[in-house]
Amino acid sequence: SDGAYRDGLETEHSAQHATAYPLAAGITPTELRESAGKLLASQGMRMSVYGAQFLLDPLFNAGEDRAAMALMTSREQFSWLHMMDDLHATIAMEAWDPAIKPNTTFSHAWGTAPANVIPRHVVGIDVIEPGASHIRIVPKPGDLAWFKATVPTIRGAVDVSYTKQGPVLLGITLPPNVTAELSLQGLNHIDGAMIEGEAVKTTSVHRLRPGRVRVTAPRQ
């Protein structure tokens, strides 16, 4: 009932991996995805550096963006900031700490999950037509106060800026030959905001043309 998967057919044990991988792959039944996401969010980081990719993705997809952001900004032993601040790594490591794997190396690009998670989930840009002619934008900033991002595509850079409080909540600039679908479902606190003077709902999808678009605070 909590969306958890067991490790195998003949065991009652349920590792975080057993629940995360099917949720990441879209196998978990739709009606159990939310509860599976909550379960994963409650467990913290139990994945290896490699497996972290398959924990962050389902957390964002299940609406647990705050939990995912907390893992990416954690300073615990199983964290990227531990690698950088405590172990002085400049490239992603093979394991979270030499205490876990004594012969660990400091040169594993597959350990850089946040490098692709941030543009795909936090900024929320996803290419949905060949050549990035049409993209989807679904920002999920969690508890961030603000961000500014430039995401390159083959047709030019897409700029997205977000401020939790302010007259301009979200600013998007699309290249001349790119259109987009904008969803505000990850920004529930801005329900009633305005796009080009028209009130919008976070449950709606808005088609954007090339150029600059601003989502402004609700009228008082």
Side-chain angles (χ1 to χ4, degrees):
S1 61
D2 60 1
Y5 279 75
R6 297 174 183 169
D7 296 353
L9 296 177
E10 299 179 0
T11 178
E12 295 296 318
H13 190 267
S14 177
Q16 185 178 55
H17 307 61
T19 300
Y21 286 127
L23 186 56
I27 296 172
T28 304
T30 302
E31 66 273 15
L32 293 176
R33 290 177 184 175
E34 182 177 349
S35 56
K38 291 184 181 302
L39 174 65
L40 292 175
S42 71
Q43 295 174 333
M45 179 65 75
R46 299 183 183 180
M47 293 287 198
S48 67
V49 181
Y50 175 84
Q53 178 77 58
F54 305 98
L55 175 60
L56 295 177
D57 276 339
L59 284 174
F60 275 106
N61 290 335
E64 296 294 334
D65 45 293
R66 288 175 171 80
M69 289 293 297
L71 292 178
M72 289 196 291
T73 56
S74 170
R75 295 185 179 276
E76 300 296 327
Q77 185 182 40
F78 283 30
S79 74
W80 291 274
L81 289 179
H82 171 64
M83 288 185 195
M84 293 186 287
D85 294 345
D86 301 331
L87 303 177
H88 309 295
T90 58
I91 300 175
M93 296 168 53
E94 182 183 9
W96 295 114
D97 191 284
I100 300 169
K101 189 176 189 293
N103 65 337
T104 190
T105 68
F106 283 63
S107 57
H108 279 69
W110 50 241
T112 58
N116 73 77
V117 167
I118 290 171
R120 291 190 303 110
H121 291 297
V122 180
V123 183
I125 293 180
D126 184 24
V127 173
I128 57 177
E129 289 190 11
S133 62
H134 191 58
I135 64 175
R136 182 181 294 116
I137 306 176
V138 190
K140 298 178 181 178
D143 290 324
L144 288 179
W146 63 275
F147 71 71
K148 290 184 179 180
T150 297
V151 179
T153 78
I154 196 171
R155 293 173 180 256
V158 178
D159 294 320
V160 181
S161 61
Y162 162 78
T163 304
K164 190 171 185 178
Q165 295 180 342
V168 179
L169 302 171
L170 194 66
I172 298 171
T173 301
L174 299 176
N177 49 1
V178 175
T179 58
E181 297 175 6
L182 172 64
S183 171
L184 303 176
Q185 66 180 21
L187 303 172
N188 294 327
H189 66 283
I190 70 170
D191 202 17
M194 315 287 288
I195 295 181
E196 305 303 325
E198 294 186 8
V200 298
K201 294 183 178 181
T202 56
T203 55
S204 302
V205 175
H206 312 277
R207 291 188 65 87
L208 306 182
R209 296 179 179 179
R212 188 183 184 194
V213 175
R214 299 193 308 170
V215 178
T216 54
R219 291 176 177 173
Q220 300 299 322

